[in-house]
Amino acid sequence: NIPFIFLNINQKGYNNLCYIGQKSFEAGGLAGQLLNLCVLGEDELLIVQTRKNIEDNSSFSQRGKGFIDYFEKNKIKKKIHQIQFDGLKNQRNIEKKINTLLKSNKRIKGIVILSSRAADIIELIYPEIKIDIKVVGFDTTPKNVYKLKKGQITFLISQKSFNQGYKSITTMVNYLIHKLKPDTEIPTPLEIVTKENVEFIEYDKRRYNSKL
């Protein structure tokens, strides 16, 4: 009888009060749209999954499905390659595999990395290869933001994690104190972050802290 909220990852079949977080399928579709704007018609794309058992993480799985759905729904013919890694511990192996793939498929000009590890993947791609490749990643981690500012990541899709945490507290307080039952899903914005607007992404965090 203890109320609880799912934050960031939505699991079905539980009696949670609500889910607060990104709509992963739509986030994948947005990544597809952004990457499609960056490449030419004959260019090919690559989906990088940093977890082998992708179905065990529904958010990553839905992002990948949403990405592919964007091209199918809009009848955009685009060859999409996929590569999976079982975590990022064996970096030498990852470096060899991804560079071999990119060398043998020189038409790959766009990469989407479904997890928050975009910066780690970019570091493993040889400089002479990645210079011509556009990259879309997820989450504004410090490493991702650094690579974004350096121009090695083209777009980041932020799920505004600070706002998620803040919203979860206010939602629970409203439920316990004011008896206000929330919607079953409270989606957070799909924020497109570029090197031009990255300095403004923590505006809400600074604003909330100023009230403390």
Side-chain angles (χ1 to χ4, degrees):
N1 295 321
I2 299 176
F4 63 97
I5 291 172
F6 280 147
L7 182 64
N8 191 31
I9 297 176
N10 194 12
Q11 298 289 343
K12 303 297 184 182
Y14 294 87
N15 192 30
N16 54 303
L17 184 63
C18 68
Y19 162 68
I20 299 175
Q22 190 181 80
K23 283 186 169 292
S24 299
F25 186 86
E26 288 78 0
L30 177 59
Q33 183 177 3
L34 291 172
L35 207 51
N36 188 54
L37 291 171
C38 297
V39 299
L40 300 175
E42 67 274 13
D43 291 339
E44 300 174 5
L45 306 177
L46 173 63
I47 297 175
V48 177
Q49 300 173 348
T50 58
R51 290 196 173 127
K52 191 172 182 180
N53 297 320
I54 196 70
E55 294 295 337
D56 291 341
N57 192 308
S58 59
S59 62
F60 297 163
S61 174
Q62 287 301 306
R63 284 175 185 174
K65 290 175 181 177
F67 183 85
I68 293 172
D69 180 74
Y70 169 78
F71 293 94
E72 293 178 345
K73 181 176 62 179
N74 292 284
K75 296 180 172 57
I76 301 172
K77 293 184 178 180
K78 186 72 65 177
K79 186 171 183 179
I80 300 175
H81 305 260
Q82 296 194 51
I83 190 169
Q84 290 184 356
F85 303 111
D86 191 8
L88 297 179
K89 290 183 179 180
N90 193 342
Q91 293 199 359
R92 182 172 295 181
N93 182 53
I94 295 171
E95 179 180 337
K96 181 180 179 181
K97 283 187 175 181
I98 195 165
N99 284 290
T100 298
L101 174 65
L102 293 172
K103 279 183 176 180
S104 60
N105 295 275
K106 295 185 182 297
R107 285 192 174 182
I108 295 177
K109 297 299 180 182
I111 299 176
V112 60
I113 300 161
L114 300 181
S115 70
S116 62
R117 308 301 293 274
D120 297 294
I121 294 296
I122 293 305
E123 287 179 346
L124 299 177
I125 299 176
Y126 299 150
E128 66 273 17
I129 296 177
K130 66 185 174 187
I131 193 171
D132 294 325
I133 293 179
K134 305 299 183 182
V135 178
V136 175
F138 288 85
D139 300 334
T140 51
T141 66
K143 286 187 70 174
N144 282 351
V145 168
Y146 176 77
K147 292 295 185 184
L148 181 75
K149 290 179 177 179
K150 296 282 286 185
Q152 295 180 16
I153 294 176
T154 314
F155 295 106
L156 287 173
I157 298 175
S158 171
Q159 54 188 328
K160 299 185 75 69
S161 55
F162 177 86
N163 297 57
Q164 287 182 10
Y166 190 90
K167 187 65 175 178
S168 67
I169 297 298
T170 58
T171 300
M172 187 61 77
V173 169
N174 286 332
Y175 177 75
L176 295 174
I177 305 299
H178 304 294
K179 310 303 179 186
L180 297 175
K181 188 173 182 179
D183 294 335
T184 55
E185 286 194 11
I186 303 176
T188 52
L190 299 175
E191 184 178 42
I192 302 171
V193 183
T194 69
K195 63 181 179 181
E196 288 77 19
N197 72 356
V198 68
E199 297 297 334
F200 307 101
I201 62 173
E202 291 194 337
Y203 169 77
D204 286 335
K205 184 177 180 180
R206 293 193 297 269
R207 179 164 59 90
Y208 293 140
N209 286 340
S210 68
K211 296 178 180 179
L212 298 178

